[in-house]
Amino acid sequence: MDLRSIVSPSPSRTARRGRRLVAAALAVTLVAGASACGEDDAADLAASGPGSSSAQDGQDLEPELTVDPGPAPVVDLIDAGGGERRVLAYAPSREPAVVAVTRSATSRTEVPGAEPRSDDTPAQTLTVEGRSEPDVDGAQRATVTAREFTSVDELRNAQFATAPGFTVTWNRSADGVVRELSLAAPSAATDAARAGVEITANAVSDATVAFPTEAIGVGARWTVTRQVDDAVAPTRVVTYELVGLEGDVATVRSTTTAPDPAATLAAPASDGGPGVTLDVESYEVDGSGELTVDLRAALPVDGTTESSTRAVYVDPDSGRRTTYDEDSVLQFRSVD
């Protein structure tokens, strides 16, 4: 059995919620999917040039694909903060906002008896125009439309040429809890463009700040605990701190952990053979960030989040150690 099929990330067809899907060991990384998709499409696009796409010229969209965001997270207020306090709630946008979302990542898997595997995603930027509007029961419907998808890598530029026109919609409560995520691709979108937009959209969904329902002021701290598709550590805890508030614009800092990882990892073999069980020697997930959140915008308007995963597995029979390291960065920047 090739252990790389168990501990290495592999692209998910729907990139559900952009989290690591650990059907075997580690899950899908937020950024791995687009780099492995659409090689045939990329060859055709490279020949015709990125400017040949008609997706940005009013091309029809396919029916929406709805993605279940999973169980609602639990939001717990730790400290209400000081000064003037009020309930922070998302509201309809006054006008569309254009934001550039940039992702990059690196990962490395080392399995005994095999060459180390590295997967790198150079910086790639999805520029979107977003707005939010009222929905039922006080919820908000936040919609963004892709204007442009570019990468520092020219081949990826060709792969992503059909992304413009892609529409992503989040249905979220006034406190920011995402209830539903749906995507509508241009009819001519390539697999690479679909994967790139979907993974970025899921990453943005995860970066959406959920606020307490209580009134808070500067200095407030709260946690958001959610369940994720991770066979080793299925819980993520994000601790937020409100460090600035001016009108509808809040600045928050965050740290992310994955508490109580399992002691063992049991996974089916990708080839249909006998499964495998590995001891989890260590499993650490760390994240940090600072985001500027306009409560009247569809997504954060500025800021950066970073995350890393460090995992070591041991075969209980042979004592051989397998390691996996991943680092990723997500950046938001308002575009005039």
Side-chain angles (χ1 to χ4, degrees), residues 3 13 30 46 50 73 76 125 141 152 206 222 286:
L3 287 181
R13 186 170 183 270
L30 291 176
D76 292 312
T125 300
R141 185 176 176 84
V152 296
D206 283 347
W222 66 98
D286 295 298

Side-chain angles (χ1 to χ4, degrees), residues 76-246:
D76 292 312
L77 181 62
I78 300 173
D79 184 339
E84 181 181 354
R85 298 174 182 173
R86 62 186 175 96
V87 175
L88 299 187
Y90 290 91
S93 56
R94 295 188 177 92
E95 58 186 17
V98 180
V99 178
V101 185
T102 301
R103 294 173 27 256
S104 61
T106 60
S107 66
R108 180 179 176 85
T109 308
E110 294 188 11
V111 177
E115 289 293 322
R117 168 181 166 178
S118 295
D119 293 290
D120 297 324
T121 299
Q124 51 196 45
T125 300
L126 178 64
T127 302
V128 300
E129 179 177 295
R131 65 168 61 244
S132 59
E133 58 188 5
D135 206 346
V136 296
D137 299 328
Q140 296 295 316
R141 185 176 176 84
T143 303
V144 301
T145 301
R147 282 186 169 186
E148 185 180 27
F149 203 173
T150 60
S151 171
V152 296
D153 179 86
E154 289 302 321
L155 176 59
R156 289 170 185 262
N157 277 334
Q159 290 178 323
F160 299 147
T162 55
F166 210 116
T167 299
V168 184
T169 302
W170 292 273
N171 181 290
R172 63 190 182 195
S173 303
D175 59 4
V177 173
V178 176
R179 298 177 177 178
E180 187 177 272
L181 166 64
S182 58
L183 310 107
S187 301
T190 62
D191 287 345
R194 293 168 192 263
V197 174
E198 288 174 13
I199 293 170
T200 300
N202 289 321
V204 172
S205 180
D206 283 347
T208 298
V209 178
F211 292 99
T213 55
E214 299 91 343
I216 59 174
V218 173
R221 296 176 63 245
W222 66 98
T223 60
V224 177
T225 303
R226 65 183 82 229
Q227 300 303 304
V228 300
D229 293 318
D230 188 323
V232 176
T235 301
R236 293 290 183 274
V237 179
V238 184
T239 301
Y240 291 101
E241 179 182 3
L242 181 64
V243 297
L245 180 61
E246 185 174 347

Side-chain angles (χ1 to χ4, degrees), residues 1-10 19-29 109 111 228-234 236 262 264-270 276-280 282-283 285 309 311-314 322-324:
M1 179 188 304
D2 185 355
L3 287 181
R4 283 177 296 184
S5 65
I6 298 174
V7 299
S8 299
S10 59
R19 297 192 180 96
R20 303 172 195 77
L21 176 59
V22 189
L26 298 176
V28 177
T29 65
T109 308
V111 177
V228 300
D229 293 318
D230 188 323
V232 176
R236 293 290 183 274
T264 60
L265 167 67
S270 60
V276 64
T277 298
L278 301 176
D279 293 334
V280 180
S282 64
Y283 194 90
V285 175
T309 301
V312 180
Y313 304 96
V314 179
T322 296
T323 64
Y324 172 73

